[in-house]
Amino acid sequence: MSSSEESSEASASPSPPASPEASNQQLLEPPSLERLVLHFIHAKRSLSASAFLSRAGELVTGSRSLLEEIAVLNARNAFARRAVDEQVETLAAIRDSVGDVGDSATDEFQNVVDGVDEAHGRLERTLAGLKGRVVDAELQRTGNDGEDETDEQCEPTEKTLYDFIQESAHTDLEASIRGLVDEFGVVKNIFDRDLRQFDGYLRDISDTLQHADLHSTSGPQAKQTLYDDPTPSIPKLFRAMDGHAAQMAELFSSLIKHYDLCVTALKHTEGGGEAAKQAVQAEHLSAQNPAGGEESLYKKTVPEPIDEEERKQMLRVVEGDASEVEDVINELHELSEEVESSYEQLHSSANRARSTHSSLHIVLGKLHEIQSALPSHTEASKSFHSSWDEIRSSIASKTKELASLASFYDDFSAAYSKVLREVDRRNAAEAQARKLAAKAQRELDKLYEADKEAREDFLEDVGGSLPRDIWPRAGDGGYRWEVRQVTKR
């Protein structure tokens, strides 16, 4: 837009080569009074855009304090975040170390249980063998004739090798091992509960830090794509606001110049002041305080004289500038929206910086809580490790006893097999002895009969001629020999 002074100077001095815009203005017809009043009303109404300029100034002023606050908070947050990250990393390492104690004990416990299961399985197989092996009833007989008769009258009770062992020997041992396993479960639950509490502290800190990251000043506010412009930095936003405000001031200055030129044109137009006053009243614009130039328009003061050519040139400028008023107002509105948007981003950045600062303050408080609770967590880990060492040693000892008991029962079963072989051997020896005894008895009986016959023949031969007193025992019978079983000792 051009001012009245510029148009006056242009008419007084030689004109430079005309630009396309100047040529267009020269081609414009000077507006009529009615149209000039319309331009004046539009120009007066356009001055309400001063609210945009005032608001932009307020936002730029407020942004300076926001910029300082954001810078201070970001510096504090960065320092605090580095310290927090170091502390969290240390705590995570401690937690992993404590967790490794539990994991290692769990793995060792599983190996120990596997060993117990193996020993118990072997014992169960051995016991099953004892239960399935019936003891020969003949082994239970005492061997006396009276008792033999009683046994023949009564049904013998069938027994297995399992009936000859002390059942409590292995049942008590198994119960003891189960008790140790349950004891490990108790101490492991206590350890896990303490570890979950530790994890809860770390999880709270992680969630708070994640919340701080989501609301950090540098964090993106929306998911961006490759086609989106990068998020501007805080200083760049402020510079853009300041630049937009300066540009708005220039645009509003052009509106004021156009308004002043309209007032000047009306002053140099007959009836312009009265027509302008009536139009202002009709448009309800009289409530707005008129500028100094407009007051002089209504007071019918005599304007500074200009020639007709200068007046026409001024009217052409008014006509040309009037077509740009709406564009200037739209541009002011757009710039105002951009300033508002930039301020909103700065304000959001400040809120995010405050939120991050608050979150880090909360995290520091939680770190102090963990610091006070850390000794109890490490002590719980040591206590669990010590308890597990004792339980592991006891289970290992009981497992050895279980394996020894299985070996003892295996030896018992093997000994019974030897008993059966010994019984067979003894029965065979007794049968052989009976056979030999029967054979010997037959030989003795033959010898006795032969001796008896020989004695009788002798008496018949010499009995009549041999006096009795010479061998009183000549008529005695011979001894009869018998083979008998000797009582067991």
Side-chain angles (χ1 to χ4, degrees):
M1 292 184 179
S2 303
S3 64
S4 58
E5 291 79 6
E6 290 173 345
S7 61
S8 299
E9 291 176 0
S11 61
S13 60
S15 300
S19 64
E21 294 181 358
S23 300
N24 291 335
Q25 287 184 351
Q26 291 177 359
L27 294 176
L28 292 174
E29 290 294 332
S32 62
L33 176 60
E34 181 181 356
R35 187 169 180 80
L36 184 59
V37 170
L38 182 62
H39 292 335
F40 167 73
I41 293 299
H42 288 169
K44 184 175 179 64
R45 187 178 287 116
S46 70
L47 296 183
S48 63
S50 62
F52 293 150
L53 187 63
S54 176
R55 174 62 177 168
E58 293 175 0
L59 295 181
V60 170
T61 302
S63 296
R64 288 190 176 92
S65 60
L66 285 179
L67 192 64
E68 294 175 359
E69 182 183 4
I70 291 172
V72 172
L73 288 177
N74 283 348
R76 292 178 178 177
N77 292 343
F79 177 79
R81 183 57 187 265
R82 285 194 296 269
V84 166
D85 287 342
E86 292 176 359
Q87 292 294 324
V88 170
E89 185 177 355
T90 301
L91 289 174
I94 295 175
R95 190 272 172 214
D96 291 341
S97 178
V98 173
D100 289 343
V101 173
D103 295 340
S104 177
T106 301
D107 294 340
E108 293 175 358
F109 173 75
Q110 187 58 50
N111 293 333
V112 169
V113 169
D114 291 341
V116 171
D117 290 340
E118 182 179 355
H120 182 263
R122 178 190 172 190
L123 178 62
E124 286 296 318
R125 291 190 296 272
T126 299
L127 293 176
L130 296 180
K131 291 178 180 179
R133 196 163 191 182
V134 179
V135 177
D136 191 347
E138 293 296 328
L139 297 178
Q140 301 297 301
R141 300 184 185 277
T142 60
N144 296 328
D145 294 341
E147 293 179 358
D148 289 343
E149 292 176 359
T150 303
D151 291 341
E152 290 175 359
Q153 296 174 359
C154 300
E155 287 292 335
T157 302
E158 186 178 85
K159 292 185 177 181
T160 64
L161 293 182
Y162 186 82
D163 296 324
F164 292 89
I165 66 172
Q166 187 177 359
E167 187 176 9
S168 61
H170 63 271
T171 56
D172 291 348
L173 190 58
E174 291 172 347
S176 177
I177 293 176
R178 284 194 296 270
L180 291 171
V181 171
D182 293 339
E183 183 180 352
F184 174 79
V186 171
V187 297
K188 184 62 166 60
N189 286 336
I190 295 174
F191 173 79
D192 289 341
R193 183 168 61 249
D194 184 84
L195 190 60
R196 284 194 297 271
Q197 185 180 9
F198 199 164
D199 288 338
Y201 284 128
L202 294 179
R203 192 181 306 109
D204 288 344
I205 291 176
S206 177
D207 292 343
T208 305
L209 290 177
Q210 186 176 8
H211 179 270
D213 290 338
L214 290 175
H215 296 83
S216 64
T217 304
S218 58
Q221 297 308 299
K223 187 175 181 180
Q224 294 185 336
T225 67
L226 295 174
Y227 305 101
D228 294 331
D229 293 331
T231 304
S233 63
I234 302 301
K236 186 176 181 180
L237 279 175
F238 179 75
R239 288 194 297 270
M241 287 181 64
D242 196 29
H244 291 334
Q247 190 176 356
M248 290 174 68
E250 293 179 1
L251 291 173
F252 188 72
S253 176
S254 68
L255 290 178
I256 294 176
K257 291 178 180 179
H258 174 64
Y259 167 78
D260 291 340
L261 190 59
C262 288
V263 172
T264 303
L266 286 171
K267 286 180 180 180
H268 288 83
T269 302
E270 184 178 356
E274 184 63 25
K277 185 176 182 180
Q278 293 177 1
V280 167
Q281 293 175 350
E283 294 292 334
H284 304 289
L285 298 177
S286 57
Q288 298 182 5
N289 294 326
E294 188 175 338
E295 289 180 355
S296 63
L297 174 63
Y298 300 149
K299 292 179 180 179
K300 299 181 179 180
T301 57
V302 178
E304 182 180 350
I306 59 174
D307 59 28
E308 185 62 21
E309 185 60 30
E310 288 178 340
R311 178 179 173 277
K312 289 182 179 181
Q313 179 64 25
M314 179 176 58
L315 292 177
R316 291 191 186 97
V317 172
V318 169
E319 182 68 24
D321 290 347
S323 62
E324 300 178 9
V325 170
E326 192 66 28
D327 293 338
V328 172
I329 293 176
N330 290 336
E331 189 172 357
L332 278 171
H333 186 265
E334 292 175 359
L335 290 173
S336 176
E337 289 182 344
E338 291 182 7
V339 171
E340 290 280 358
S341 176
S342 298
Y343 180 79
E344 184 63 28
Q345 293 184 55
L346 283 176
H347 193 268
S348 298
S349 297
N351 287 336
R352 292 194 297 272
R354 297 185 194 110
S355 177
T356 300
H357 184 72
S358 176
S359 298
L360 290 174
H361 184 73
I362 294 174
V363 169
L364 289 174
K366 293 181 182 296
L367 287 175
H368 286 305
E369 292 180 10
I370 296 181
Q371 184 178 5
S372 61
L374 193 58
S376 65
H377 292 303
T378 55
E379 183 61 30
S381 175
K382 293 178 181 178
S383 176
F384 170 72
H385 188 272
S386 176
S387 298
W388 163 235
D389 285 342
E390 295 178 2
I391 293 173
R392 177 178 54 189
S393 177
S394 298
I395 293 179
S397 176
K398 299 294 183 183
T399 303
K400 288 182 180 179
E401 293 182 25
L402 205 63
S404 298
L405 195 59
S407 298
F408 175 76
Y409 289 156
D410 286 337
D411 293 342
F412 170 51
S413 180
Y416 177 71
S417 298
K418 294 179 181 179
V419 166
L420 294 180
R421 290 195 295 272
E422 178 64 14
V423 169
D424 292 340
R425 186 197 65 77
R426 291 186 182 185
N427 289 336
E430 184 177 352
Q432 184 68 22
R434 290 181 182 277
K435 182 178 179 181
L436 292 175
K439 182 179 180 181
Q441 187 64 52
R442 288 194 298 272
E443 293 296 328
L444 290 173
D445 289 343
K446 289 180 182 180
L447 182 60
Y448 173 75
E449 292 297 333
D451 179 61
K452 179 180 178 183
E453 185 178 351
R455 286 174 183 266
E456 291 175 352
D457 291 343
F458 172 74
L459 290 177
E460 289 180 0
D461 184 29
V462 298
S465 58
L466 183 67
R468 287 183 176 273
D469 56 354
I470 195 169
W471 187 19
R473 297 177 58 190
D476 292 346
Y479 288 102
R480 186 179 181 87
W481 296 88
E482 294 181 356
V483 179
R484 292 186 303 165
Q485 182 178 358
V486 180
T487 303
K488 297 178 182 179
R489 295 180 181 179

